[in-house]
Amino acid sequence: MSNPDLEQLAAHAEAVREKYESERQKRLRAEGNDQYVALSEIKDFDADPYTPLVEREALTVTTDVLIVGAGWGGMTTAARLTQSGVNDFLVIDKAGDFGGTWYWNRYPGCMCDVESYTYLPFLEETGYVPTQKYAQAPEIFAYAQLLGRHFDLYPRAVFQTEVVDAVWDEDSRRWNITTNRGDRIAARFFVICGGVLHKAKLPDIPGITDFEGDAFHTTRWDYSVTGGGPEQAMDKLSDKVVGIIGTGATAVQAVPKLAEASKQLYVFQRTPSTIGPRNQQETDPEWFAEMSSKPGWQQERMENFSDMTTGRKPDIDLVQDAWTDLLGEDLKRIPNDAADAEGLEILNVKKMDQLRERIDEIVLDRETAEKLKPWYKVGCKRPCFHDDYLPAFNRENVTLVDTDGHGVERFTKGGVVANGQEYPVDVLVFASGFELLTFYTHRLGFDPKGEDGVPLSDAWAHGPSTLFGTNSRGFPNMFMNSPIQGGQDINFSFPIGQASKQIAYIIAQVLKRGCTKVEPTPEAQDDWFSVIAGTVLPYGTYLANCTPSYLNNESAAPTDYEMKLGAYMGSVRDWLAILEAWRQKGDLEGLELQP
Ligand code: NDP
């Protein structure tokens, strides 16, 4: 290399690489995911603060389809079943209403982090116009209720109910499902839409149950403590010292609201997030009418956003936001040669430099600004975008407690210990995230028993086996809407909606053909795994030297199970094309059907 500018850039990139590695080393923890404990394991933390329990009689019913999960997965599956002419189904959920994530996440400031015009399912069918480019959580929850009414799902909903067991009965060719409300449901088909990031977790550190003040996870926000509501200022915090643990996508949205309301706010940080600009906009109804005038507009917009954020470079950027700007180049691809690798690394550093410079421009205190700087590659953690998060640190009543990668050490009766110092707090908020790569049945909270009574946890002990992520041999008539060997995208609702289409199609086909049993062949599963494995390599290689996070299994060495857990990591559009071509062929290739 003889160009002095390039030499300088390469030297800078090398220095940054070393900094990334030293910061990563600080955060490596032998216990990986075991550093967390599920919210449900700590008494009282997991209770539903939003809907009082309604007593009801236990159900004894038969139905064609039982769907578990009333979030986007369950709702879009139900809607697609209806569109396919399958109307005999029930939807069960632990929550008190539709919405899934948007039922539970009511923390102040909660909003969709991708554009609502591409995110909210079925906008074309409902004709709903989101009020803002990034819809706020109450609007999204209300939209879930609207979808429930639009597709007439309420009469088929069984809320405040958790599946405790599901057993395949070969004689009747049905799943026998029991619940915590004493229900007994016999269903031809059992569809698990158990959510993606739904099982909340807490740091498993000493003293968590000793704290005597008010404490809750962001996904169970306690407005009786804070006052106010998702859309009203919290009026009970003006004399309270509040601590928030975590600085991920949730905290980034909640901190500005807590900063406005609290007497004093401590933000306990282990690893900073990247904070790009948000540029929230009200929806211009004329623009929306024009933009949505062509049939198929929303699918096109979802596809365009996916292409823009996976480096496929379509001719036009329909969404034009900080996501498409940040991820317009595919930084995770395997480089062609050494020069290409260097170019990719320099580009990556430049993008992160811009984000670090943005902190210097906004945060006034130099020491705080330095501590807020993220030292890892683009996308090692889910990128965040917000216009009020960084300015919150300019307030007198907000203190960043950076733990230099070590995290909070323990809790006392009256506060939080970090960096060897106790910080007394009245209210403790855990923005400590959700499980992603833990064992599927652990996250579901039940363990389906398939043919010969074999539990899914045994069948998958050495890793999942599926066809397209939706069906697994040995578990006839059972379907999964999940990223395990399925599709994934920045816009979660896109692959979820596509898996629903696939599941509804197969169920409708099996019924139409007068069959009673469907499951994939072993060969089809093996073939599918080969396809998956081919897509995981570039992404896995990229994430391998990332700072630990739920995306890379907290950097712990993968178990056999985790080795096979990956989603289709190529573009979701390729996964979608595979499914569409498969449905077009119409012969249900790879599935075994029995009369
Ligand atoms: P994350 O897992 O992203 O964040 C958890 C935070 O807790 C991290 O900052 C983590 O630090 C921190 N933490 C864990 N243990 C400790 C400890 N002992 N001491 C101090 N800090 C600790 O969870 P989020 O809920 O923020 O986000 C999860 C995902 O949910 C997002 O990535 C996104 O996909 C989704 N989400 C989507 C939204 C939307 O609008 N669509 C909004 C909010 C969330 P460290 O980084 O070091 O691990």
Side-chain angles (χ1 to χ4, degrees), residues 562-581:
E562 286 152 3
M563 288 293 281
K564 295 184 77 181
L565 197 57
Y568 184 96
M569 296 309 299
S571 159
V572 69
R573 297 256 280 126
D574 294 335
W575 174 74
L576 171 58
I578 293 170
L579 299 189
E580 269 173 0

Side-chain angles (χ1 to χ4, degrees), residues 27 29 35-36 101-102 105 107 110-114 119 197 201-205 217-218 245-253 268-273 381-382 403 405-409 411 431-434 492 547-550 554:
R27 290 167 173 83
R29 303 163 73 100
Q35 66 181 286
Y36 292 105
T101 256
W102 302 103
N105 284 287
Y107 61 83
C110 182
M111 67 171 83
C112 188
D113 74 350
V114 301
Y119 176 79
L197 289 159
K201 63 189 189 193
L202 298 166
D204 191 10
I205 51 182
H217 191 278
T218 46
I245 314 280
T247 50
T250 297
V252 164
Q253 296 178 344
F268 294 95
Q269 172 179 276
R270 190 166 70 179
T271 310
S273 285
K381 288 180 179 282
R382 187 172 173 94
T403 61
H406 300 293
V408 162
E409 289 154 32
F411 302 97
S432 43
F434 303 86
F492 280 24
T547 193
S549 82
Y550 70 80
E554 301 296 336

